[in-house]
Amino acid sequence: MITVLNTIDTGHEDMIHDAELDYYGLKLATCSSDNSVKIYDIKNGTQTLAADLKGHFGPVWQVAWAHPKYGNLLASCSYDRKVIIWKESGEWTKLYEYTGHESSVNSVAWAPAEYGLILACCSSDGSISIIQYSQDTGNWDVKKITGAHAIGVNSISWCPALSADLNLDPLTNKDAPKRLVTGGCDNLIKIWREQGDQWVEENRLELHIDWVRDVAWAPSLGLQRSMIASCSQDKRVVIWSSDDNVSWTPTILNTFDDVVWSVSWSLTGNILAVSGGDNKVSLWRESTDGQWLCISEVAKGLGQTPNDERSTL
Amino acid sequence: MIPSNTICVSEEGPANALALNKDATQVVIAGRNVFKVFSIEENDFTEVCNLRVGKNLNLNFSSIDVAWSTIEENTLATAATNGAVVVWNLGRSGRSKQEHVFSDHKRTVNKVSFHLTEPALLISGSQDGMMKCFDLRMKEVARTFISNTESIRDVQFSPHQAHTFAAVSENGNVQLWDVRRHERCLQQFTAHSGPVFACDWHSEMPWLATASRDKTIKVWDIHAKPNLEHTIYTIASVGHVKWRPQKKYQVASCALVLDCAVHVWDVRRPHVPLATFAEHRDVTTAIAWQNDPNTFLSTSRDCSLYRHRFSEAAHPVLWANPHGVCVSARGDVTHAAPDCPLPALHTNPASDRYVPGLGRKQPTAGSLRPQAQAALERLFPGGAASILTRYSGEGRPPCCVVACAKEYKMRGLPTHELAEHNAKVARAYNRHMVGHVWEVVRCVYGRPPPREPPEREPPPPPPAHTNSNAVEEEPLEEVEQWAETQFHNSGVLGMPTLSIYIPPHKYKIRHDEGSGWVSAASAHYVDVETADWTLPEEAFPLRAPPPAHQPSILDTTHGRTAAGGASPGGSSSPGSGSSGSNGSACTAPPNLEQTSSAYPGAATLCRAQPEEGESGPLWVVHEALRPHVEPAPLLALALRHHADLGDVQTAALVMIVLHEHRSDLFPYIDEGLQEHWLLGYIEFLQKHKLWNVATEVVRCAWLSSVWSLSQQSSSVTVCCGRCGRRARPRAMCDRCLPHPDLCAVCRQVVRGLYAWCQGCSHGGHLEHMRQWMEKHQLCPAGCGHHCQLG
């Protein structure tokens, strides 16, 4: 079911830390320890290098695409303590540089487009920044949550706007609270809610016994509940689900053989891709009785299906 | 969080420099307010001597640099801010150890270095751009070297050629001098684009490392012509650089600003440090290896002196996420993974505890066991490569879903015809589950003309509950809709009692097809074609059909709803049914909970799980004869189920297609969820750039919040046809204005009418273009476009 399309020769001189596809799945951005960000156009299974962005002076940990209604915007964060927002207008140029962190910036995420142009980033200095573009002034306004996670924040993800609050009627709930989830070096997952012009800690989810490496809030096209996937140095992937975004129930998806570094949801939020230290990427789907099943697994470069289960619509 | 084997001492003031004696048992630190010698013990430093003593603590004591003779055990030299070079003799009796002061430089001396084999030779580099070689026996300047640059930041004797020294300067140059010849340098080259702050000779290779404000460390092979071998990219101006002893490719560095840590790099992997020592709380001012690759000392502006053991190192490469995985809107998976994974991180929980007071800026992910560290050092240079692979992950479903999205119809026809069309589309793409849902919709909400047209006249519309003694009130508009439903269904009799089953061979075929989506939910699959929906006449007495009756709804939601298939109307109708007046049966659809609790086990579904054997047919047995089956709750559950499976398309589109029957489902699907589905489907369509379909959905939407999307303002941008830049409305592009439009045929400037092809934007004189297009099909400009003039 999962087959290798191709292997991309990126020309990066060092390790690649993140590869992100844009809203349409037609542009691919990669970032690497060699301080560069590269952008590829994907057409019919082939890709061409569109841009090589140099502006960071340290390994670039993560990239994030903004919603296309704001144009082609890409945010990148780096060990050099900076977040750079790149914009394509003919050529890729630096639109904004944020230098508000005292240590490596580990993760960036754009807010759902409904909220406006807002970027959240988090750093090894333990703080989270929420940077909002103000249409009127043309400035980027910064709010900061300090001391979010002791030792450092590794990953950040937004709650989708559509599921903003499942209890409330979305028709009358355009001002639904914004939510963020972060995972940190204190082994905790925290959920933050905007309250007035403050961000407050709404929930802390404890289960992992080592650094949380990645968190991902599931997009919720049609889903009736919220789900967050988290993965950790403790080799486990946990799915947290909630009907009201307030009380969360954990399900351990699996315990892997090695550190799990990265999780990513499919558009419909029902397939989770997991990538771990064993160099494998596996796809997981929740069966109707709440069990998570591995529907596909590939080791680096090989396409294979673990069993005959082809469970999809 | 000071690792156990790291020792530290606090000083009175920050030290600018440190130097080790030749057997690395003692260390001297020097700064503006500090000048001390410590002996290095196993677990701590012991102060041996404080050299900052005497009545007259003048600027000669304010040191920028310090050097310890590599031959004479007691000889030290310092470089002072006032331009003095001071020689100290630790062997002197008395408190003052000052031996001699050379006041030859006019400005601050940045660096002093002893000759490696001649004990009497000392060289200095100064801010005045000069280097002076001092003869300590004669107590005089032996030679002065004029660099012709503004200032010299570092001077170092070569370990390979006894008389050669390197000098680096603030203009980015490196000079190589012969200490015996002061007229001109041997070689000079520009190494950096900014000031060079430090250099260091490799002990074995003819390599010189230079550190610069341009945030790079460069390694030069100066065997013959200087050749750049390696460049290391750091995040801050590099203040000092020192090769790690006995390690050919490793060099330690510290930054001048911003970064407090000491990094050890493998020059073959220039972007990520191999090891990091982040104990200092302010920038590190000097580093020195203790004659062995496993320990070094460092001083910092935070007034501390540390001895670091390499085994305590943190390895940033192990904190870094080596994996990236992303699932695209189109279902493709992109995965970046290292080519050869580094050894697993061994975290030591005890060292992970956060010590608040220390304010450590970088995380320490524990230390590695010696073998792991050795393995890391070995693999480190080769661990740089990552492989980026694209998988067509759950590739097929999105393709099918997108194809279906394009072909589905959502308006313009009665519900059943739309459903029939959509069912065909779904089946064409092997989405049998979805096709089945559409079939059910088709059957439930109207049918094409029945095979045997009913002779019975359509039953009267239900009276507006004049005789409704039984059940709840119902809004008037719903009554009308029910009436319409009833009309559509007039050809069909009540719930069939027959069992429906899929022949094993059919079931099997679907399994074998790779493209057949057989999920757990597909156990509900019912082959509508084989199901006989009309009943034998004798099963029922002929009578007017109850208004709300529906054919079977077999598409239930996985057992949750197995018992939900009976309606209250069904039970209350035997009395009223024969009378032909079914008003009481025509009730507002009760919600599901009530239904199932009121009629438990009214209908039982016996399902054969696919795993129980492919030959197990699917049976639906209705034990009790129920003339009425309320389809709405079941359909609602089916839609919810599809949405839960990630198929928001079916959920949204069925709701759209139901048109006037849609309100049947409203009691089961609240408005929030409806909006959620619609917006979700619209987003899905937009992600696939199906703007037209998305607009259609917005147009068909019944919720004002969704419908109002079409009221949002659209912006139209005018771009210059020549250069593609954004132009002001009704104005020529600023850039292209000077170039008037030329006729593609005659190459003359067009005045007056300009005819152009909207496809390729080439054009010219209307007459010329007409003539051209009569004879040719392709664009006159030669762009290969099949032009059409409007």
Side-chain angles (χ1 to χ4, degrees), chain B residues 605-665:
Chain B
L605 285 170
C606 306
R607 293 175 292 107
Q609 297 287 351
E611 12 342 330
E612 280 168 15
E614 306 210 322
S615 58
L618 173 67
W619 291 88
V620 181
V621 181
H622 282 262
E623 288 168 347
L625 191 137
R626 298 286 168 201
H628 291 284
V629 169
E630 178 59 68
L634 293 180
L635 189 56
L637 275 165
L639 297 187
R640 279 170 181 267
H641 180 62
H642 274 272
D644 276 348
L645 288 174
D647 181 17
V648 71
Q649 178 185 46
T650 303
L653 218 59
V654 167
M655 289 293 277
I656 290 173
V657 165
L658 285 182
H659 296 307
E660 68 274 7
H661 310 294
R662 193 180 297 133
S663 53
D664 298 3
L665 300 186

Side-chain angles (χ1 to χ4, degrees), chain B residues 242-491:
Chain B
K242 287 280 178 238
W243 288 98
R244 187 177 175 199
Q246 298 161 36
K247 301 280 178 179
K248 184 177 171 188
Y249 293 106
Q250 294 178 18
V251 65
S253 76
C254 62
L256 211 56
V257 289
L258 201 68
D259 191 356
C260 308
V262 179
H263 301 289
V264 179
W265 306 83
D266 188 305
V267 294
R268 293 166 295 180
R269 191 154 177 199
H271 300 285
V272 185
L274 166 68
T276 291
F277 302 85
E279 279 76 22
H280 286 299
R281 276 171 290 157
D282 204 338
V283 288
T284 306
T285 51
I287 41 181
W289 289 94
Q290 214 183 344
N291 287 1
D292 106 77
N294 294 318
T295 49
F296 70 92
L297 286 88
S298 67
T299 56
S300 156
R301 226 189 275 157
D302 66 2
C303 303
S304 64
L305 168 67
Y306 275 92
R307 181 177 66 172
H308 308 270
R309 286 189 196 272
F310 207 79
S311 56
E312 309 282 344
H315 298 282
V317 70
L318 297 180
W319 314 332
N321 185 352
H323 285 265
V325 64
C326 178
V327 186
S328 85
R330 278 149 214 260
D332 289 356
V333 180
T334 310
H335 181 222
D339 205 356
C340 50
L342 292 168
L345 183 72
H346 156 69
T347 37
N348 175 6
S351 71
D352 267 350
R353 294 283 83 84
Y354 180 63
V355 183
L358 213 62
R360 188 184 186 108
K361 290 194 172 168
Q362 268 119 8
T364 308
S367 51
L368 289 182
R369 283 173 295 218
Q371 316 90 288
Q373 198 169 39
L376 174 67
E377 271 185 60
R378 213 169 37 246
L379 288 171
F380 183 74
S386 278
I387 291 186
L388 182 62
T389 317
R390 285 178 59 216
Y391 302 97
S392 68
E394 19 128 28
R396 261 171 312 207
C399 298
C400 300
V401 176
V402 170
C404 288
K406 287 180 191 159
E407 294 180 31
Y408 275 163
K409 287 183 184 169
M410 56 186 100
R411 63 195 182 97
L413 290 169
T415 300
H416 63 87
E417 285 180 32
L418 288 174
E420 191 175 359
H421 170 85
N422 293 348
K424 267 190 206 142
V425 171
R427 291 199 180 208
Y429 291 99
N430 286 315
R431 302 177 72 203
H432 297 286
M433 271 285 291
V434 178
H436 177 60
V437 171
W438 285 115
E439 289 289 354
V440 170
V441 170
R442 175 177 71 93
C443 296
V444 170
Y445 292 102
R447 281 187 62 118
R451 285 169 227 166
E452 292 154 46
E455 311 94 77
R456 309 174 297 274
E457 66 260 39
H465 32 58
T466 43
N467 60 346
S468 81
N469 52 352
V471 266
E472 308 96 2
E473 293 273 311
E474 174 187 22
L476 192 64
E477 55 188 295
E478 288 218 359
V479 175
E480 283 158 12
Q481 272 168 0
W482 281 87
E484 208 167 335
T485 314
Q486 178 189 4
F487 178 75
H488 286 309
N489 295 336
S490 58

Side-chain angles (χ1 to χ4, degrees), chain B residues 20 101 172 206 254-255 326 365 403 416 425 458 473 495 514 557 580 685 749 773:
Chain B
L20 290 161
V101 179
C254 62
C326 178
H416 63 87
V425 171
E473 293 273 311
M495 182 60 218
T557 307
L685 293 170
V749 176
M773 295 317 293

Side-chain angles (χ1 to χ4, degrees), chain A residues 17 24 171 220 224 270 300, chain B residues 330 339 640 645 675-676:
Chain A
H17 297 297
Y24 302 118
L171 296 177
S220 65
Q224 294 168 65
N270 60 346
K300 168 182 80 174
Chain B
R330 278 149 214 260
D339 205 356
R640 279 170 181 267
L645 288 174
E675 184 189 79
H676 200 116

